[in-house]
Amino acid sequence: MILLRRLLGDVLRRQRQRQGRTLREVSSSARVSLGYLSEVERGQKEASSELLSSICDALDVRMSELMREVSDELALAELAESAASETVPAPMRRTVLNPVSVTSVTGVPEERVTIKAPAEAVDVVAA
């Protein structure tokens, strides 16, 4: 399961570390307790929009930039999660359309069924 609070915390931590700043510096500047900021960065606490605004101000990062990076991380996490859950390729959905009787080259009637696949039509001959 993808937790938004974890992704948000990861992005906040990376932003802080890119600037070479400590939790203490950012928590002081954002006027939030060091312990609470640490829990937000570790994805253990949900940050309110007011708290995010204070942290973004302290990091001198626009909230829209923060959310864009979180959105990108979320998209990647969703792709990774869906790829991991599809260890066996999903079966192709096929619809049987219009069974038709045809005569084979040997003169024996065969039933031919056209199966519509996603990209092409496939003829299946039943003997």
Side-chain angles (χ1 to χ4, degrees):
M1 176 193 317
I2 301 166
L3 295 178
L4 187 58
R5 69 175 185 252
R6 282 199 182 147
L7 295 174
L8 183 62
D10 290 343
V11 171
L12 284 171
R13 183 182 311 108
R14 277 198 308 272
Q15 286 286 346
R16 178 179 58 78
Q17 289 173 339
R18 283 181 199 145
Q19 296 177 15
R21 297 179 65 193
T22 65
L23 273 169
R24 185 173 310 282
E25 291 170 341
V26 175
S27 69
S28 175
S29 182
R31 295 189 177 141
V32 63
S33 76
L34 179 112
Y36 197 80
L37 180 58
S38 175
E39 288 177 314
V40 168
E41 281 193 2
R42 287 181 282 139
Q44 295 176 337
K45 294 285 184 185
E46 297 275 354
S48 68
S49 57
E50 291 85 1
L51 179 66
L52 284 177
S53 179
S54 293
I55 296 169
C56 285
D57 287 346
L59 292 170
D60 196 29
V61 174
R62 289 186 178 147
M63 194 178 308
S64 60
E65 291 173 20
L66 175 78
M67 298 310 271
R68 188 175 305 114
E69 194 171 337
V70 170
S71 176
D72 292 345
E73 293 283 326
L74 179 60
L76 290 173
E78 288 172 335
L79 286 173
E81 190 175 77
S82 68
S85 67
E86 292 183 19
T87 55
V88 176
M92 294 175 63
R93 292 186 182 100
R94 295 185 175 158
T95 307
V96 175
L97 301 174
N98 305 326
V100 179
S101 288
V102 294
T103 303
S104 71
V105 181
T106 61
V108 178
E110 298 176 338
E111 188 161 310
R112 181 172 283 186
V113 178
T114 301
I115 300 173
K116 188 173 184 177
E120 63 191 54
V122 177
D123 286 337
V124 176
V125 178

